[in-house]
Amino acid sequence: MYLNCHSYHSLRYGTLSLETLVQQALACGATSLALTDINTVTGIYDFAKICRKEGIKPVVGMEFREGNRLLYIGLAKTQRGIGELCRLLTARNCEGMPLPDRAPDFQDVITIYPLSNVPQQLGTDEYIGIRPSELNLLVQEKWKSLLPRMLALNPVTVSGKKEYNLHRILRAIDLNVVLSRLSEDACCRTDEYMRPTGELMEIFGEYSQLVANTARVMEACDFAFDFKTPKNKRHYTGNREGDINLLTGLAYAGLKKRYGEKNRPARERVEKELRVIDELGFSGYFLITWDIVRYSNSMGFMHVGRGSGANSIVAYCLGITDICPLELDLYFERFLNLNRKTPPDFDIDWSWQERDVILQYIFDRYGKEHVAFCGTNVEFKYRSIFREVGKVFGLPKEELDGLATQPMELHDNNAVVAAVHKYGKMLEKFPNQRSMHACGILISETPITDYTALEMPPKGFPIVQFDMHVAEDIGFEKFDILSQRGLGSINDAVKLIRKNRGIQVDIRDTTLSKGEMRCNDFLARGQTIGCFYIESPAMRGLLRRLKCDNYPTLVAASSIIRPGVAQSGMMKEYIFRHNYPDRFEYFHQVFEEHLGDTYGIMVYQEDVIKIAMHFGGLSAADGDILRRAMSGKGRSLSALQRVKDNFFASCTRLGHPEVLSREVYRQIESFAGYSFCKAHSASYAVESYQSLYLKVYYPLEFMVAVINNQGGFYRTEVYVHEARMSGAHILNPCINKSGYETTLYGRDVYLGLMLLQGLESRLAEGIVEERERNGDFWSLEDFVQRIPIGIEGVQLLIFIGAFRFTGKSKSELLVQARLLLVNFKPEQRMPLLLREPAKEWSLPKLERSYFEDAFDEIELLGFPVSCSPFDLLQTTFRGDVMVADLVNCHKKQVRMLAYLIARKHVPTKRGAMYFGTWIDVKGDYFDTAHFPDCLERHPFKGGGCYLLLGTVEVDYHFPTLTIHKMAKLPFIPDPRYNHDRDSQYKIHQQIREDVSMTHRAPYPQAHEIGLPRRKMG
C-alpha cells in the first residue's frame, strides 16, 4: 500500500528522515515499504539497510516530476531497474532532455501513473495509482475497465499538521515566495501521511482488487543489493593477472631508481606489499592512480601524494608519493592489510591551476559513463535556516540579518519570530541542496548510472546523488584529486627562476631541501611566511618553541598543530618534553616502547592505534574502527562506544590502574577526526621544505609566485612586504611593464594589473594582450586609441601611476584624459598606418603631495606602496623596543608601536581572546596575546597602527607580548580631500587586517587536564 513515500531527500519537499519514515511504517503494521523520492535516489541505500534491520521489505524507486507536475512513479523490480530510472533522470539533468510525459519502455521497472497523466494505453508493467480521495471517481464508466490495472496509492510526505506546515515552508523556500503567495498545487495534499494498514484496508474495502494488485506489485519488486562487492573499476589491463604483472614490473623498476639494486629491506618490503595488494585484488586501483600521475608528469605538472597512501613503498616506487616509508618507519598495515576489505584511497594534490586538466584526463581516459564526482548533502545551517524561514514569513532584510547573525536569546520576542524559531529548529540537519564533494572521484567498473542518477553542477563535471559515506557503504572507494595554492606557488617559482636566472631547479628532488642547513636555520627561526602549511602565526610560534631544525621534528610539528593534539593538552606537553627530555617519565613502558620517537606523546593516528592495541589490548578490528573515526570516515557511534567498552574491560584484565586507563582513553578520544597519520604529516613536511628552499635561495621569485597564486594564510600586502624585506624594489602597476600577474625584472617587482581594485579582469588581460601583439604604448593617447576603455578606467590607471613612463604628472594626465575622451567615439579606435603626433597642451603645474600617492594606492590596491604605513602616522614615536630586543625582555613591561597584520579569535571559558600578529617599523614580525578582560577595555578597531603596552613572555625561546593596553593611532588626513573634511578619513577604513575565527568549544586549561609527567603503571 505504501508505494509512494517521500523522505527529506526530496529536497525542500519531504519532511521525514529515513529513520522516521521506517519507524512510522513499522508502527502502522507495514511489511513492505517503497521509497520514491522526487527526482533522486539519494536515500535508497541507507533506506534498504534500515528497512532490513527492522524486518520490513524495502522497495526503491523514484517519483518523476517536472516542476510541480507529477508525471509517474517508477519502482525498480531489480537492481537493473534502478539503472533504468537513473539513466532517464541523468539524460534530463546532464543533457537537458525533458522528461517524457509517458515513461520509456522500461524492462525492470513498474510504472505508476497518477490519474492526471494516464496514457491512452498501458504497457505490461504500467499501472494507475488511485488515492483514497479519488475512489469516488471509479464509478465513472471510463475507469471501470481499467480496475485490473489500478493500485491503492497512499502517498506519504508528512506526519501530521505540524509537519504539513513545515512542508509548506519548505515549498516556499524552494520557490522563493512568501507563504501567503504559495499556490496550492505547489504543495502535497493534506492527507499524505502514513495511515495504519487496517485503516487503508477499510478505505479500499470496496475495491479489494486494487489492494491485491498492490500486494502483487510490491512482491514483484526485489532490491537485493550486494553491498559487499567492490564497485570500483577492477582492472587496469583488463584482467587480474595482467594487473599484478604490470604493477610488479613498475614497482621493481621504481625500486631500482629509488634505492639502487642492493637495498634488501626495501626489496623485502616491496615483495610483502605486492603479495597483500594482489591478494586483496587492489592492483587495478594502484595502476589507475599511477596512470593519472604518469599523465601529470608527462604534462610537466607537479603533484603531492599524501595521506595514508604514503605508507606504501610500492606507491613510493611508482612515483605516486615522495615519502620513503623506511626512512620514517611508516608501516604499510596502516594503509592496507588483509583485514581491510575496501580499497585504499590515495589523496593527491595538484596546483589549483592544473587540477582541471587532470580531471578532464580522468573523465576522458575512463569514460564519462564510468566517472563522476562524489556528492555531498548540504544541510540547512543556523544562519541559512533563520534567514530562509524568516523570508518565508515576510520579514524585512534588516530583521533577517539580525536573526542570522545574533544568538537566539537576542532575537525579538514576538509571534512571527517564535514561529521562525519553531520551524527553524525542525529544519536542523535537513538536507537543503546537493553539492559536489571537494575532491572525491568515483571510477566504476560498470556504468555509474547502474547505481545513481547524475547531476551537472555549474563546475562542469557530473556528480552522483549520494555522499562519500554511502559510496563506501555500497562498495566504492574514491580517488581524492585535490588542489592547493601552495603547489601553484612552487610551480610558478621554479618557472620564474628558469626564466629570470636560467637555472633549472629540480624541486622534486626532495634531498635538495630536507637536509639543507640554511633552510633548517630559517625553519628554527620561524622565517616561513609564504611557505606551505608552516606560515601561520601558530605554526611559526611552534617552530620557534621547538627550535625545529630538521625533517623529523617538522613531521611531528605538522601533526602537533592539529586541534586534536592541542585539545588533549599534548601539544604543550610535547614542547616541554622536546626541550627538557630529562624531566619526565613515560606513563607506562608501552609508551616508551612504541612512542619513544615522540617522547611518549600520541602525535599521529598510528600512535593512537598502537596504544589502543598494545596498551589497551584491543583487536585489530577495533583498531580499524578507531582509524576510521579519526579519518572522519566512521559514522557508527555505537561501534565507537563498543570499542570504548572493550578498551576499559581489556585494561582491567591487563591490570592497568583505572586512573591511567581513563587518562589514556581521554587522549585517544580527543584525537578523533583531528589528527594526521604520520605519512600525511611527512608529505606536508616535504612540501613545506620545497617551498622553504625556494624562499631561502630564490626569495624574490618565490614571493612573486606566492603573490600571483593569491597567497595563502595572509593577504597580498603581507607577501608584498615580505618581498620587500627580501630585497625587492616594489613598483606600482605600469601598462608597459606589468602583466596581468605581478612580474619580476631583476630586483624590480611590478605589481600585477589583477591587483587593481575596480579594474575589470577582462580589461586588464586585454591591455597585456594588446601590448604583446603590437608593442609598448607610446603615450596616453596611443593607449586610448588601442584599448576599449572609458574615462573611469583611464583615471584609475592614472591614479595608480600606470602612465608614469610618459614623464607627466598625474594632474596633467587627468586633464589630458578628459580632453582625449570628451568627444571620443569607439569606432575611431582602429589600427592606423600613420599616426598623427599627439596634440600637446600647455597645462598649469599642479603640485601633488608625496602622501597623495600613498592614499591613491590604499584606495586602489588596499595598501600603500610608495611609503610605509608608519610614514602615514601623525606621531613620530616608533616604540621603546623593537622585535629584535624582545627575547631579552622576559617579564618586562614594554611599549611598542606596530602595524597589525592578522588576529586569530580563540574561545575561552572567560570569553573570546585574540592572538595578534604585527610588524614593527623595521618590518619584523611579533605576536601578542589579548585576554577577554583587556579586550573589553581596549578592543581591536580594524587595520592600522597601534600603540601597545604589555609584558613580554618568553616561552621556550619564543617571545609573546601579553597586552595590558592598546590604542589605534591616527593616520594623517587624506591630503586629496583638504577641502572636504567629511572625506578626509574615508580611505583609512580600507586599511585591512586578516581575521580568522575559531568555531569550537574552549580547550581545557593545563590545570584542568592535570597531565601527569610521572609513571602511572
Side-chain angles (χ1 to χ4, degrees), residues 299-302 351 353-354 487-508 694 698 701-702 704-705 708-709 741 744:
M299 296 295 290
F301 297 165
M302 184 178 171
S351 160
Q353 302 153 317
E354 296 164 351
L487 275 176
S489 298
I490 292 171
N491 255 337
D492 288 354
V494 169
K495 291 173 186 173
L496 261 177
I497 294 162
R498 184 171 63 239
K499 178 183 174 185
N500 284 7
R501 305 198 190 192
I503 298 171
Q504 180 63 55
V505 179
D506 183 9
I507 203 64
R508 298 187 195 195
L694 296 170
Y698 307 97
E701 287 86 356
F702 179 69
V704 167
N708 287 337
N709 280 274
E741 297 180 327
L744 177 65

Side-chain angles (χ1 to χ4, degrees), residues 732-733 756-757 799-801 810 850-867 976 987 990:
N732 280 321
L756 283 171
Q757 299 169 16
F799 280 127
I800 204 60
K810 291 183 182 181
Y850 164 73
F851 291 117
E852 286 186 70
D853 289 340
F855 281 96
D856 283 341
E857 291 153 5
I858 292 169
E859 183 172 353
L860 299 174
L861 294 170
F863 54 90
V865 174
S866 54
C867 71
R976 302 174 306 168
I987 299 304
Q990 290 184 220

Side-chain angles (χ1 to χ4, degrees), residues 313-351:
I313 198 170
V314 170
Y316 181 53
C317 290
L318 264 59
I320 295 170
T321 65
D322 271 320
I323 306 300
C324 171
L326 302 182
E327 178 185 7
L328 292 171
D329 191 28
L330 304 176
Y331 64 106
F332 179 61
E333 290 72 16
R334 165 64 182 83
F335 176 55
L336 203 57
N337 59 71
L338 293 175
N339 293 320
R340 182 174 183 171
K341 301 305 178 190
T342 56
D345 59 334
F346 286 106
D347 297 342
I348 308 180
D349 291 342
W350 274 272
S351 160

Side-chain angles (χ1 to χ4, degrees), residues 57-95:
K57 177 184 177 180
V59 174
V60 299
M62 196 188 308
E63 178 176 303
F64 291 90
R65 284 179 179 249
E66 282 291 7
N68 294 326
R69 184 166 170 249
L70 170 61
L71 301 177
Y72 32 82
I73 300 155
L75 298 180
K77 293 166 66 177
T78 65
Q79 171 61 34
R80 290 192 301 275
I82 285 293
E84 291 184 276
L85 296 172
C86 290
R87 279 185 272 282
L88 174 60
L89 189 66
T90 298
R92 178 246 201 188
N93 291 345
C94 298
E95 298 167 27

Side-chain angles (χ1 to χ4, degrees), residues 633-653:
K633 293 184 177 180
R635 289 198 289 172
S636 174
L637 293 176
S638 60
L640 265 180
Q641 183 61 46
R642 192 184 71 247
V643 169
K644 183 176 181 178
D645 295 341
N646 291 348
F647 177 85
F648 283 110
S650 179
C651 284
T652 301
R653 285 195 304 272

Side-chain angles (χ1 to χ4, degrees), residues 330-452:
L330 304 176
Y331 64 106
F332 179 61
E333 290 72 16
R334 165 64 182 83
F335 176 55
L336 203 57
N337 59 71
L338 293 175
N339 293 320
R340 182 174 183 171
K341 301 305 178 190
T342 56
D345 59 334
F346 286 106
D347 297 342
I348 308 180
D349 291 342
W350 274 272
S351 160
W352 64 283
Q353 302 153 317
E354 296 164 351
R355 177 178 179 247
D356 281 358
V357 178
I358 297 297
L359 292 175
Q360 194 61 58
Y361 172 76
I362 295 170
F363 277 85
D364 292 344
R365 172 72 173 79
Y366 296 98
K368 66 177 183 177
E369 291 186 348
H370 296 264
V371 185
F373 263 93
C374 217
T376 59
N377 283 320
V378 181
E379 297 175 346
F380 281 100
K381 298 291 194 308
Y382 180 90
R383 290 189 178 191
S384 67
I385 288 176
F386 288 135
R387 194 178 292 281
E388 294 284 8
V389 177
K391 197 190 301 180
V392 163
F393 281 101
L395 295 179
K397 183 181 182 303
E398 299 74 30
E399 290 188 50
L400 294 176
D401 291 342
L403 290 174
T405 57
Q406 294 175 350
M408 284 179 64
E409 54 268 24
L410 297 181
H411 291 178
D412 291 340
N413 186 16
N414 59 52
V416 174
V417 171
V420 171
H421 284 180
K422 174 184 173 182
Y423 292 107
K425 287 176 183 176
M426 292 174 70
L427 277 180
E428 280 187 301
K429 301 297 181 185
F430 268 48
N432 180 26
Q433 58 188 11
R434 275 182 294 278
S435 184
M436 178 187 284
H437 187 280
C439 56
I441 284 185
L442 307 179
I443 304 177
S444 65
E445 176 70 17
T446 63
I448 209 158
T449 49
D450 285 354
Y451 311 100
T452 176

Side-chain angles (χ1 to χ4, degrees), residues 120 209 236 268 433 465 610 663 689 701-702 884 935 1006:
Q120 288 187 347
Q209 188 175 8
Y236 178 76
E268 289 175 351
Q433 58 188 11
Q465 290 189 322
K610 284 178 189 175
E663 170 57 25
Y689 261 114
E701 287 86 356
F702 179 69
L935 281 168

